[in-house]
Amino acid sequence: ALAEGQASGGSAAIEALLARDGEEPVADEWQRRYKDSGRIYWDHFYEERTVNFFKDRHYLREEFAELMPEEVLQDPRRWVEQLDVSEEQAPPETLEELIAAMDGRLVVLEVGCAVGNGVLPLLRANPGLFGIACDLSPVAVRLLREKEEFRCGRCLAFPSDITCGAEEQPTAEHRAIEEAVPPDSADFTTLLFVLSAIDPARHRAVIARLRSRLKPGGLALFRDYGRGDLAQLRFAPGHWLGGDLYVRGDGTLAAFFTVEGLRADF
């Protein structure tokens, strides 16, 4: 969005809006609450919206071509059947079962899986894919697990706070990535509008944690908000936390990125 503004000669006006001159950031006490209590706000979000609010991300067949088999690459918009659950299979419960389930398959670790509108379409499109999905919100994970397609035998889902290790997880239900996913086991990790919901001070630690789960040569596939996006320009006073970080009315965070900043983080 920012690049488009520059191309049209509007970069100075955009930068003036982003500078938020005369505006004070949200008070420190509230900033700590928003940054440290994300689970509460996201649980609230999914309790209100359940599963019908979200649309499947079919566009990932084109955006993340690295995950697709040849027949889908030739026609990314072709019809793909729902996942077969005629022989219902429970997800793996131990690391040994997980390793066996992943054997011979491409493995994608989807962080911030929400209710499955990313991982399930990917599994439909690629029968050779196994999905490990996690989300900060136990409510979101429960909604994913309740979907019929989740019982396809090619998906594991669990709550996790990816900003911290095993000793700092917010509830007993949460599992650290290091506990749940073997090191060097995933071919890909996907971050779809995930880092924007996390305090930027924690981004590099999150990326390092995910990198440790990737195989040598594994890829992180990323999609998120760009600095200067219209969504950023629309934030009213009282929502700015400093820099390019904001808080929505529901208490969830929204960070905005530059290509240069992402390159430095990754």
Side-chain angles (χ1 to χ4, degrees):
L2 185 57
E4 292 174 2
Q6 291 171 336
S8 63
S11 60
I14 291 174
E15 287 299 330
L17 289 170
L18 295 179
R20 307 193 79 89
D21 287 340
E23 182 178 346
E24 289 294 323
V26 170
D28 288 346
E29 178 186 354
W30 280 96
Q31 291 219 26
R32 287 193 298 272
R33 185 176 303 185
Y34 294 134
K35 292 173 181 178
D36 296 340
S37 302
R39 176 186 62 85
I40 296 171
Y41 294 113
W42 282 110
D43 275 349
H44 222 20
F45 179 91
Y46 290 111
E47 284 166 351
E48 289 186 347
R49 290 165 178 81
T50 66
V51 296
N52 296 324
F53 178 80
F54 308 94
K55 294 182 179 179
D56 282 348
R57 289 170 162 161
H58 299 299
Y59 64 81
L60 295 179
R61 298 181 210 164
E62 297 178 86
E63 294 287 335
F64 294 165
E66 297 87 347
L67 290 166
M68 292 297 103
E70 184 59 35
E71 60 270 23
V72 174
L73 291 176
Q74 292 176 1
D75 182 11
R77 301 188 182 186
R78 66 193 285 268
W79 173 256
V80 176
E81 296 291 341
Q82 297 285 102
L83 292 169
D84 181 14
V85 293
S86 57
E87 297 182 8
E88 184 175 320
Q89 301 179 54
E93 295 184 357
T94 66
L95 276 179
E96 291 74 18
E97 290 179 358
L98 175 60
I99 291 169
M102 295 189 299
D103 186 41
R105 300 184 184 274
L106 281 177
V107 177
V108 59
L109 169 59
E110 181 170 64
V111 180
C113 65
V115 298
N117 298 92
V119 68
L120 293 180
L122 290 174
L123 294 177
R124 288 180 209 137
N126 188 346
L129 192 64
F130 187 92
I132 302 174
C134 67
D135 198 279
L136 177 61
S137 169
V139 175
V141 172
R142 174 177 55 79
L143 291 169
L144 166 56
R145 288 172 174 169
E146 289 174 353
K147 289 187 173 183
E148 184 178 20
E149 286 185 290
F150 179 72
R151 301 190 292 275
C152 66
R154 290 196 285 125
C155 191
L156 170 69
F158 58 94
S160 180
D161 184 342
I162 60 169
T163 70
C164 55
E167 299 301 319
E168 301 167 298
Q169 292 294 307
T171 72
E173 186 179 3
H174 285 73
R175 300 168 65 193
I177 287 288
E178 295 89 338
E179 291 181 310
V181 184
D184 304 328
S185 63
D187 298 280
F188 304 94
T189 184
T190 60
L191 299 102
L192 297 167
F193 302 97
V194 172
L195 285 187
S196 57
I198 296 172
D199 177 5
R202 300 171 181 172
H203 286 176
R204 292 193 179 187
V206 167
I207 293 167
R209 182 168 280 116
L210 297 177
R211 185 182 290 120
S212 72
R213 304 301 102 181
L214 286 173
K215 296 176 182 177
L219 292 178
L221 304 175
F222 177 91
R223 184 182 176 97
D224 222 314
Y225 300 109
R227 186 173 188 271
D229 189 277
L230 187 58
Q232 183 178 12
L233 301 177
R234 284 177 171 166
F235 273 106
H239 293 263
W240 181 48
L241 304 186
D244 290 310
L245 181 65
Y246 300 77
V247 62
R248 300 185 184 92
D250 60 8
T252 60
L253 299 180
F256 296 82
F257 299 91
T258 65
V259 173
E260 296 76 17
L262 288 170
R263 284 176 177 156
D265 285 345
F266 279 89

